[in-house]
């Protein structure tokens, strides 16, 4: 009931929508060569922490990162979104 009230769809519909989005993001990431080795992931986190002027440990705390795999999904999604935005053609 909560999901239906909040999102206007059933849990199954929401799950299907999420999976389709993840599949699209992963397909674009693969085509664009976006992936994260442990080294690349750690470097990206260090860069993000530095850009905010905080330590890596504090970056993890402030961003509630408890699962590296989930955060890799977020980083990948962010890069794919940036590619889509940068390559978008606005028609007026």
């Amino acid at each position: 009931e909560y999901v239906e009230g909040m999102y206007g769809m059933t849990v199954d519909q929401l799950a299907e929508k999420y999976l389709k989005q993840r599949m699209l993001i992963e397909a674009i990431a693969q085509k664009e060569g976006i992936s994260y080795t442990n080294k690349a992931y750690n470097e990206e986190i260090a860069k993000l922490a530095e850009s905010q002027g905080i330590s890596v440990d504090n970056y993890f705390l402030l961003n509630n990162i408890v699962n590296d795999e989930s955060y890799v999904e977020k980083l990948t999604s962010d890069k794919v979104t940036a590619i889509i935005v940068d390559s978008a053609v606005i028609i007026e």
Side-chain angles (χ1 to χ4, degrees), residues 27-41:
I28 294 170
Q30 185 177 11
K31 184 175 185 325
E32 295 294 328
I34 299 168
S35 65
Y36 286 95
T37 62
N38 283 343
K39 181 180 177 187
Y41 172 75

Side-chain angles (χ1 to χ4, degrees), residues 2-33:
Y2 172 79
V3 170
E4 288 182 27
M6 193 70 169
Y7 299 101
M9 59 183 78
T10 66
V11 172
D12 289 342
Q13 291 169 324
L14 184 61
E16 183 178 342
K17 181 179 178 181
Y18 172 78
L19 289 174
K20 285 179 180 178
Q21 288 173 344
R22 288 299 322 150
M23 289 171 62
L24 179 61
I25 289 167
E26 290 303 320
I28 294 170
Q30 185 177 11
K31 184 175 185 325
E32 295 294 328

Side-chain angles (χ1 to χ4, degrees), residues 36-60 63 65 68 71 75:
Y36 286 95
T37 62
N38 283 343
K39 181 180 177 187
Y41 172 75
N42 289 329
E43 288 172 354
E44 184 73 14
I45 295 294
K47 184 175 81 174
L48 291 167
E50 183 180 334
S51 74
Q52 294 181 18
I54 58 177
S55 71
V56 169
D57 289 339
N58 283 338
Y59 184 85
F60 276 95
N63 289 283
I65 302 171
D68 289 338
Y71 208 68
L75 293 174

